[in-house]
Amino acid sequence: MNFTPSEIKRFEELKTPFYYYQLPLLEETLQLLTSEAKKYNYHVHYALKANANNNILAKINAYSLGADCVSGNEILKAKECNFSSDRIVFAGVGKSDEEINIALDNNIFCLNCESIPEMEVINELAKKKNKIASIALRINPNVNAKTHHYITTGLEENKFGINLWELEDVLKSLEQLTNIKLIGLHFHIGSQITDLSVFKGLCLRVNEIQEWFYSHHIIVEHINVGGGLGIDYENPEINKIPDFKTFFKLFNDVLQLRPNQQLHFELGRAVVAQCGNLITKVLYVKKGIKTNFAIVDAGMTELIRPALYQATHKISNITSQSEQTERYDVVGPICESSDCFAKALDLPETKRGDLIAIHSAGAYGEVMASAYNLRTIVKAYYLEV
Ligand SMILES: *Cc1c(COP(=O)(O)O)cnc(C)c1O
């Protein structure tokens, strides 16, 4: 069991639903992550979009990670939380002029560019400020992440990145654009990648792409391989911390860096997913013909992953004393049929008032909360270190 009796006792006094973060687990995760990355001098930027809760960001910043931002507001948030500018990277397929100006005003480390028109706009805005913007090319390596198609980003059919056949034109443009400076190559092929051979495929493709640049007399200072390392949603209690050791070792073994070239990562989910839980209360148990519905007070407004990408989270009834199990569809109160956390799930006999924990909700949970149905945005509580 994930929770101690005293944690459960505390839950019983709190208004549900709420997010619950176990900060000791976050610390343990950060310790392992940073110690493994340090072995190879790798730079890790935390992807704020996975969870931008201030308390979580403070912990992450304490371990001197960089920040991977995908909007101007994320850059401002990273600055507010004291992430240093020279560790902020900015990606996104549709950066507005305002957002690019935020990046330029804050002198961030690197803008990851996704098209020639975007490079032209960054160049123009940098020129107005008399600045030279450091950029990386986000290249679409056409590597299949073998994850849900909604979180696959590195295929030619996806909207992200510059395709390989466009690179020749990109280099021609770069010669004209004197207010941007190419410092890196960037890749990000998707999220919740659990098959590590996918990353091996990425490394091999990056090696080929580097050869191409080399043959055009270009060696960049930085290679950024993005994020995407998955977590174990089925067994969060057994696999609390992703296998960072094997992950980084793979890159060290397969990716061929040039002398002095720096390798960067942008991890989101792997850092924060397992430390977060969504705690909810059973409102009603409704008998169906084939199954019972356990209707809980949290819904897709608090955790949209199941509705958005058919994701499954481990769910447990943490207060039932019953020895008997029954089969339930665990559903939320939102007026959408997709507002369903699990179908035909065996739980101990469940009744009104029982507390249900939805595990591994630290990434893409709170940060995606919405007020749909005019719901109130719910609070977060913490187990302190
Ligand atoms: C979302 C995103 C990440 C983080 O992805 P995770 O799967 O959470 O590790 C990293 N880089 C970019 C560019 C992203 O869009």
Side-chain angles (χ1 to χ4, degrees), residues 113-119 137-141 155-174 212-213 216:
C113 293
E114 309 218 4
S115 67
I116 294 176
E118 182 194 330
M119 284 162 42
L137 300 173
R138 176 168 181 177
I139 297 174
N140 184 337
L155 288 176
E156 283 167 0
E157 69 208 50
N158 299 129
K159 68 177 175 180
F160 299 99
I162 296 166
N163 288 309
L164 297 171
W165 65 82
E166 297 170 291
L167 288 177
E168 204 85 56
D169 288 342
V170 167
L171 293 191
K172 277 202 203 97
S173 300
L174 273 172
W212 186 91
F213 276 89
H216 289 73

Side-chain angles (χ1 to χ4, degrees), residues 13-268:
E13 281 151 23
L14 297 171
K15 179 170 150 57
T16 54
F18 55 87
Y19 302 101
Y20 181 66
Y21 295 105
Q22 294 171 316
L23 298 181
L25 176 57
L26 177 60
E27 290 244 320
E28 240 185 281
T29 307
L30 287 164
Q31 257 154 27
L32 188 72
L33 170 67
T34 48
S35 70
E36 291 300 327
K38 208 171 160 191
K39 283 185 187 167
Y40 312 104
N41 276 323
Y42 290 164
H43 306 272
V44 180
H45 308 275
Y46 167 66
L48 263 78
K49 77 174 192 284
N51 188 318
N53 172 310
N54 285 336
N55 294 302
I56 302 281
L57 290 179
K59 282 267 177 276
I60 292 171
N61 185 44
Y63 281 80
S64 301
L65 267 63
D68 167 42
C69 302
V70 290
S71 72
N73 284 344
E74 283 192 358
I75 296 174
L76 295 174
K77 177 71 146 190
K79 289 299 298 172
E80 253 171 62
C81 294
N82 295 318
F83 283 85
S84 73
S85 288
D86 58 7
R87 288 202 180 124
I88 296 179
V89 294
F90 180 26
V93 69
K95 301 177 187 77
S96 70
D97 294 20
E98 193 185 341
E99 292 178 309
I100 293 168
N101 280 326
I102 290 173
L104 294 171
D105 290 341
N106 284 286
N107 300 314
I108 67 163
F109 169 59
C110 190
L111 288 96
N112 297 333
C113 293
E114 309 218 4
S115 67
I116 294 176
E118 182 194 330
M119 284 162 42
E120 289 168 351
V121 172
I122 294 173
N123 185 69
E124 194 186 304
L125 295 173
K127 191 177 248 164
K128 277 193 193 149
K129 292 181 187 289
N130 248 325
K131 287 191 172 182
I132 306 225
S134 295
I135 67 146
L137 300 173
R138 176 168 181 177
I139 297 174
N140 184 337
N142 200 24
V143 171
N144 192 344
K146 298 184 197 158
T147 182
H148 191 273
H149 59 286
Y150 281 10
I151 49 176
T152 295
T153 56
L155 288 176
E156 283 167 0
E157 69 208 50
N158 299 129
K159 68 177 175 180
F160 299 99
I162 296 166
N163 288 309
L164 297 171
W165 65 82
E166 297 170 291
L167 288 177
E168 204 85 56
D169 288 342
V170 167
L171 293 191
K172 277 202 203 97
S173 300
L174 273 172
E175 286 171 22
Q176 316 298 320
L177 304 173
T178 48
N179 288 74
I180 59 179
K181 179 178 178 233
L182 179 67
I183 64 161
L185 303 179
H186 174 236
F187 307 86
H188 173 69
I189 56 172
S191 199
Q192 184 51 20
I193 298 167
T194 49
D195 175 355
L196 285 186
S197 72
V198 166
F199 289 112
K200 184 171 178 194
L202 172 64
C203 289
L204 295 172
R205 188 60 55 84
V206 173
N207 291 344
E208 287 169 21
I209 294 170
Q210 285 243 71
E211 281 300 323
W212 186 91
F213 276 89
Y214 197 58
S215 73
H216 289 73
H217 314 290
I218 295 173
I219 301 177
V220 294
E221 295 154 63
H222 304 276
I223 299 292
N224 181 338
V225 288
L229 177 62
I231 61 129
D232 190 344
Y233 280 98
E234 278 170 48
N235 304 297
E237 280 114 340
I238 300 167
N239 294 312
K240 286 176 196 246
I241 302 180
D243 186 358
F244 296 121
K245 187 177 176 159
T246 309
F247 177 68
F248 290 128
K249 183 171 184 301
L250 172 80
F251 284 88
N252 183 59
D253 289 347
V254 187
L255 192 74
Q256 291 162 359
L257 292 177
R258 310 287 170 184
N260 299 321
Q261 218 171 29
Q262 308 278 309
L263 187 60
H264 299 250
F265 294 82
E266 304 165 335
L267 296 173

